[in-house]
Amino acid sequence: MDQRDEQEFAAYFAARRDAVRRTAYMLCGDWHRADDLAQTAFVALHRRWKKIRDRAATDAYVRTTLVRASIDESRRPWRREWQTETLPEPADDTPGLDDLVATREDLLAALKEVPPKQRAVLVMRFFEGLDVTSAAQALGCSEGNVKSQTARGLANLRQVLEREVETNG
């Protein structure tokens, strides 16, 4: 890339870094993984920067790369978690700061339990504010798929949150 392209990319990176990182966090629920996903998206963008003709579509390209990287990462064998019946240490019953932010934490925890493709659609639609058409373009699927994944994802999210309310009040 020439100097002008490098400067344009640097300006785009500086302007969109935090937003991409937040979106990545909403997809995976872990800030360290979010940093890795954002880095993956920006590296892919840097490789293709010179070939991108429509700079207005750059955000869509980054979102698509981010979602695909998130789904690919969730398929890796070392990312699979094992469920156990007993916790490694007893839970502390004293209320603390976490009770003050329970709503957000419950939502993020519930979002982690939604399957990756449904989570991607929910993040694109409700956290990124994309409409069905834009979400379909960002995810590389049909509008009907976005609608059905949204409905299934919301149903799963409701189930998880209702289970949380029944368990913890």
Side-chain angles (χ1 to χ4, degrees):
M1 285 195 328
D2 63 7
Q3 186 68 19
R4 192 192 78 202
D5 286 337
E6 284 291 342
Q7 289 173 345
E8 286 178 2
F9 177 80
Y12 178 82
F13 175 77
R16 298 295 298 155
R17 171 184 50 213
D18 293 335
V20 170
R21 186 172 178 254
R22 281 191 304 272
T23 301
Y25 177 75
M26 297 305 289
L27 288 168
C28 69
D30 177 17
W31 284 111
H32 297 292
R33 284 185 59 205
D35 288 336
D36 291 344
L37 291 173
Q39 179 179 356
T40 300
F42 280 119
V43 167
L45 176 64
H46 188 265
R47 282 191 206 128
R48 293 225 176 252
W49 187 259
K50 200 169 189 174
K51 295 178 183 178
I52 296 175
R53 285 179 257 148
D54 183 12
R55 296 288 190 219
T58 306
D59 286 342
Y61 178 82
V62 170
R63 276 194 299 271
T64 301
T65 306
L66 197 60
V67 169
R68 288 181 180 162
S70 174
I71 291 171
D72 288 347
E73 184 70 17
S74 70
R75 291 179 180 156
R76 302 266 157 70
W78 59 82
R79 290 289 183 204
R80 296 185 188 125
E81 297 178 6
W82 296 92
Q83 300 290 329
T84 62
E85 292 295 321
T86 58
L87 295 174
E89 52 195 47
D92 186 17
D93 292 336
T94 58
L97 180 62
D98 56 341
D99 290 329
L100 300 175
V101 292
T103 305
R104 178 188 167 133
E105 292 300 318
D106 290 343
L107 178 62
L108 292 175
L111 200 56
K112 287 180 189 177
E113 294 187 36
V114 174
K117 288 184 181 179
Q118 293 173 7
R119 182 181 325 132
V121 170
L122 292 176
V123 169
M124 292 294 123
R125 291 285 321 279
F126 301 109
F127 293 101
E128 283 289 311
L130 298 179
D131 60 0
V132 173
T133 305
S134 300
Q137 289 173 348
L139 296 171
C141 61
S142 69
E143 291 181 23
N145 191 6
V146 170
K147 291 176 186 177
S148 65
Q149 292 293 325
T150 300
R152 289 183 188 127
L154 287 173
N156 284 337
L157 195 59
R158 281 187 197 103
Q159 250 181 353
V160 171
L161 289 172
E162 286 172 3
R163 191 174 58 229
E164 177 66 26
V165 168
E166 289 172 4
T167 305
N168 296 330

